[in-house]
Amino acid sequence: MIKAKIKIYHEMYPTKGYRNIKRELKNIDNITVSHYMMYQCFKEMGISSKARRKAYRRPKGESNKYANLINNDWVVSRPFEKVCSDTTMIVHQGKKYDLNFHVDVYSNEIVGYDIATYQHGNGVMNHLRSLKDFLRIKRERGYEELMTILHSDQGIVYASKKFETVHKDYRIRRSMSRRATPTDNPVIEALNGWIKSELKYNLKINEYSSIYTVIELYVNYFNYSRPSWKLDYLTPVEYRVVSRMLCTFF
C-alpha cells in the first residue's frame, strides 16, 4: 500500500525524495512512516529524486572587489540578516532566459526575482529589477532599517559601478565569494539545480505558453508549498510565520 502511494506521488513530483514524500503521506494521507522504511521502499522500487546535483569546483583566488563577509557562516537570527543572489539559465520552449533571484537565508524564501532574455547572466536590468523587488519586500515587511549582508559571486554585473551605486541609500553590506568558488555560496548554488529540475518535472515548464507565468507560479510554489529539510519540513513562509509568532509569544 505504501509503495503504491509512493508511486503516485513520485509520478506527480519526480524531484521529491523519500523525505519529502514521507511528509506528503503524513499530511495528505495521514500515514506515518519512518525514514528508514521510506528509504527501503525507494531502494526496492528502484526510484530516486530526479533533481540535478550541482558539482562544485575547488576554491581559488580571493575577491578584490568585496571581502567574503559570510565566510561560510550561515547562522542567522532574523529575516533579511543575510541574503544571497545569483543568476541561472532557464530553457523554455527552446529559448534561453536568465532567472535572477534573491534568497533570504533565514527562511530559504525567494524574496526577489526577475526573468529576462538570456545574456549569459550579465543582463544589467535583470539584476536591477530583481534587486528592487528584494528591497521592496524588505521594506514592506518592516526590515528596511536593519542591516543586510548581500552575498553574491563575482559576476560582471555584481561587480559593476552601476550595481554598486544602487545600494548606497540602503542598509546593505556587500559580500562576494572567491573566484570560481561556488562552495562560498552553497545556499543559492544548491537551489539552482533543484529549480531547473522542479520546473521541468513538477511544473512541466514547456506546457506553459508564457515563461513569466510559469516562473511566477514556481516562486509561489517554492515559498508557500515546498517544504524544506533545513526548515524541519516547513515551507519558507510557514517557517517565517511560525518563527515570528514564537518570538512574539516569548
Side-chain angles (χ1 to χ4, degrees), residues 109-165:
E109 185 176 357
I110 295 177
V111 290
Y113 75 95
D114 185 74
I115 185 78
T117 304
Y118 182 63
Q119 295 186 43
H120 302 276
N122 298 323
V124 175
M125 296 310 298
N126 179 223
H127 284 69
L128 291 179
R129 285 191 295 264
S130 180
L131 174 68
K132 288 179 179 179
D133 195 25
F134 147 61
L135 293 172
R136 174 185 61 80
I137 292 172
K138 182 184 178 186
R139 180 180 67 253
E140 289 176 352
R141 293 186 185 170
Y143 294 95
E144 185 177 19
E145 298 304 317
L146 297 180
M147 184 63 69
T148 296
I149 295 178
L150 179 57
H151 188 71
S152 68
D153 59 24
Q154 296 190 47
I156 293 173
V157 177
Y158 289 123
S160 68
K161 284 288 184 182
K162 188 170 184 178
F163 196 79
E164 181 180 355
T165 303

Side-chain angles (χ1 to χ4, degrees), residues 11-149:
E11 289 174 352
M12 290 173 61
Y13 309 106
T15 64
K16 289 192 175 184
Y18 70 90
R19 294 184 182 90
N20 255 321
I21 292 182
K22 173 181 180 292
R23 185 179 188 270
E24 300 288 353
L25 288 174
K26 182 174 178 59
N27 290 351
I28 299 176
D29 300 295
N30 198 28
I31 298 173
T32 302
V33 186
S34 70
H35 282 292
Y36 180 73
M37 179 174 284
M38 288 297 293
Y39 172 77
Q40 286 296 109
C41 287
F42 266 61
K43 186 176 179 181
E44 290 174 13
M45 295 171 70
I47 60 175
S48 60
S49 167
K50 290 187 178 180
R52 294 175 57 189
R53 266 64 172 181
K54 192 175 179 77
Y56 293 129
R57 291 173 288 179
R58 298 183 64 182
K60 294 186 180 179
E62 294 282 351
S63 167
N64 295 321
K65 186 72 177 179
Y66 295 103
N68 184 351
L69 301 180
I70 301 289
N71 199 25
N72 276 323
D73 177 10
W74 299 103
V75 177
V76 291
S77 58
R78 61 167 173 82
F80 295 100
E81 184 177 343
K82 297 174 184 177
V83 172
C84 301
S85 181
D86 196 14
T87 300
T88 190
M89 188 266 288
I90 303 291
V91 178
H92 174 253
Q93 296 185 352
K95 295 182 180 180
K96 295 180 180 179
Y97 297 87
D98 282 329
L99 173 63
N100 186 272
F101 60 114
H102 290 68
V103 174
D104 186 351
V105 176
Y106 179 78
S107 60
N108 232 37
E109 185 176 357
I110 295 177
V111 290
Y113 75 95
D114 185 74
I115 185 78
T117 304
Y118 182 63
Q119 295 186 43
H120 302 276
N122 298 323
V124 175
M125 296 310 298
N126 179 223
H127 284 69
L128 291 179
R129 285 191 295 264
S130 180
L131 174 68
K132 288 179 179 179
D133 195 25
F134 147 61
L135 293 172
R136 174 185 61 80
I137 292 172
K138 182 184 178 186
R139 180 180 67 253
E140 289 176 352
R141 293 186 185 170
Y143 294 95
E144 185 177 19
E145 298 304 317
L146 297 180
M147 184 63 69
T148 296
I149 295 178

